[in-house]
Amino acid sequence: MNVSLEKVVSNKNNLQVLYEDNHIIVVNKRAGDIVQGDKTGDKPLSDIVKDYIKIKYNKPGNVYLGVVHRLDRPTTGIILFSKTSKALPRLNKLFAEKNARKTYWAIVKKAPEKPKSTLINWLKKNPKNNKSTAYSKLIEGSKKAILHYSILKTLDNYSLLEIELETGRHHQIRCQLAKIGSPIKGDLKYGFNRSNADASISLHARRLQFTHPVSKDHIDIIAPLPKDPIWSACEY
């Protein structure tokens, strides 16, 4: 293979590795990256990570990589992959039993009325337009969605929210914030009035805390924010 490790990490793929050991690898996803292949045919992040592992460790043949969770294409932040078949089922169990703590940051123009609150809705996905709708009560085909938010910082024109999910539904954060009149910056699908220049939405998987599937060590990872003036103003 005629490509260097430096190019995999620093070129247009822009792979930012946040943590790596024998069993897991954690990267900071860019806006626009897809985690797994889809109908677009664009090269997914999983393949970019495989290239990185293959070159770094001079591995012959196919590289094993297990996808543990996903992020929407326009979002940024932490993505965890399994490098071994031993770790993958343990990580899947960890996430299924909600023993991984995921913290998100979101930038909204209209701040929620309460500085801190819990949102409870019932979300129903429409596969035709790949969009979820939030309802205030159970309807047929809906699933209960719970998140907790707090306002971390108020800027001149925007507010920074910190969000923790209690459930993991399709477009949950995007949908529930839009329901209370606080759509995420750049999120045209859920009611924001204009797109971001890079087609991203200002939602970032900021922190991930979990028990390592093999060593049992406590892992706590924070993903640097995107390089953007408004995100930079959110640093504190």
Side-chain angles (χ1 to χ4, degrees), residues 51 60 66 86 90 95 98 134 141 208:
D51 288 346
K86 179 179 182 179
R90 299 180 186 185
F95 275 68
K98 299 179 176 60
L208 179 63

Side-chain angles (χ1 to χ4, degrees), residues 59-121:
K59 285 184 172 287
N62 295 327
V63 171
Y64 178 89
L65 191 75
V67 177
V68 180
H69 64 122
R70 297 165 183 80
L71 288 175
D72 297 339
R73 187 162 191 168
T75 65
T76 57
I78 294 172
I79 286 286
L80 166 66
F81 295 101
S82 171
K83 292 171 64 178
T84 64
S85 56
K86 179 179 182 179
L88 183 60
R90 299 180 186 185
L91 288 169
N92 286 339
K93 185 172 185 287
L94 190 80
F95 275 68
E97 294 178 351
K98 299 179 176 60
N99 290 322
R101 185 176 180 182
K102 294 179 282 186
T103 304
Y104 296 81
W105 281 11
I107 297 171
V108 300
K109 189 169 183 67
K110 183 183 176 185
E113 291 182 4
K114 298 178 181 178
K116 186 175 183 179
S117 188
T118 295
L119 303 182
I120 302 175
N121 299 105

Side-chain angles (χ1 to χ4, degrees), residues 10-207:
S10 65
N11 73 359
K12 64 180 181 179
N13 295 329
N14 195 27
L15 185 66
Q16 185 179 13
V17 178
L18 302 176
Y19 177 88
E20 182 183 5
D21 61 29
N22 289 338
H23 293 279
I24 63 175
I25 182 168
V26 183
V27 302
N28 192 9
K29 181 180 115 47
R30 300 179 310 163
D33 284 341
I34 49 172
V35 177
Q36 283 185 299
D38 65 5
K39 61 184 179 182
T40 65
D42 295 340
K43 187 171 184 175
L45 184 59
S46 55
D47 281 359
I48 295 170
V49 174
K50 285 181 181 180
D51 288 346
Y52 163 85
I53 294 170
K54 186 177 182 68
I55 296 163
K56 181 175 181 179
Y57 300 103
N58 194 26
K59 285 184 172 287
N62 295 327
V63 171
Y64 178 89
L65 191 75
V67 177
V68 180
H69 64 122
R70 297 165 183 80
L71 288 175
D72 297 339
R73 187 162 191 168
T75 65
T76 57
I78 294 172
I79 286 286
L80 166 66
F81 295 101
S82 171
K83 292 171 64 178
T84 64
S85 56
K86 179 179 182 179
L88 183 60
R90 299 180 186 185
L91 288 169
N92 286 339
K93 185 172 185 287
L94 190 80
F95 275 68
E97 294 178 351
K98 299 179 176 60
N99 290 322
R101 185 176 180 182
K102 294 179 282 186
T103 304
Y104 296 81
W105 281 11
I107 297 171
V108 300
K109 189 169 183 67
K110 183 183 176 185
E113 291 182 4
K114 298 178 181 178
K116 186 175 183 179
S117 188
T118 295
L119 303 182
I120 302 175
N121 299 105
W122 281 260
L123 270 54
K124 185 173 182 179
K125 179 182 177 181
N126 182 345
K128 291 182 179 179
N129 61 5
N130 191 36
K131 185 177 179 180
S132 289
T133 302
Y135 297 90
S136 56
K137 61 182 180 180
L138 177 67
I139 67 164
E140 185 179 355
S142 66
K143 295 180 178 180
K144 193 173 186 179
I146 304 172
L147 67 74
H148 312 280
Y149 77 81
S150 58
I151 299 176
L152 288 186
K153 192 171 186 179
T154 301
L155 309 174
D156 289 341
N157 297 307
Y158 299 98
S159 293
L160 173 66
L161 308 184
E162 183 169 86
I163 297 139
E164 293 204 14
L165 292 177
E166 197 168 309
T167 55
R169 307 303 183 200
H170 176 259
H171 291 179
Q172 181 176 339
I173 297 172
R174 301 166 66 179
C175 186
Q176 287 193 276
L177 290 182
K179 176 71 172 175
I180 62 169
S182 301
I184 295 167
K185 180 179 177 291
D187 197 357
L188 296 178
K189 179 168 280 194
Y190 286 95
F192 200 80
N193 61 348
R194 66 181 185 275
S195 60
N196 289 340
D198 61 357
S200 70
I201 63 172
S202 300
L203 176 62
H204 183 68
R206 175 64 166 169
R207 188 175 185 182

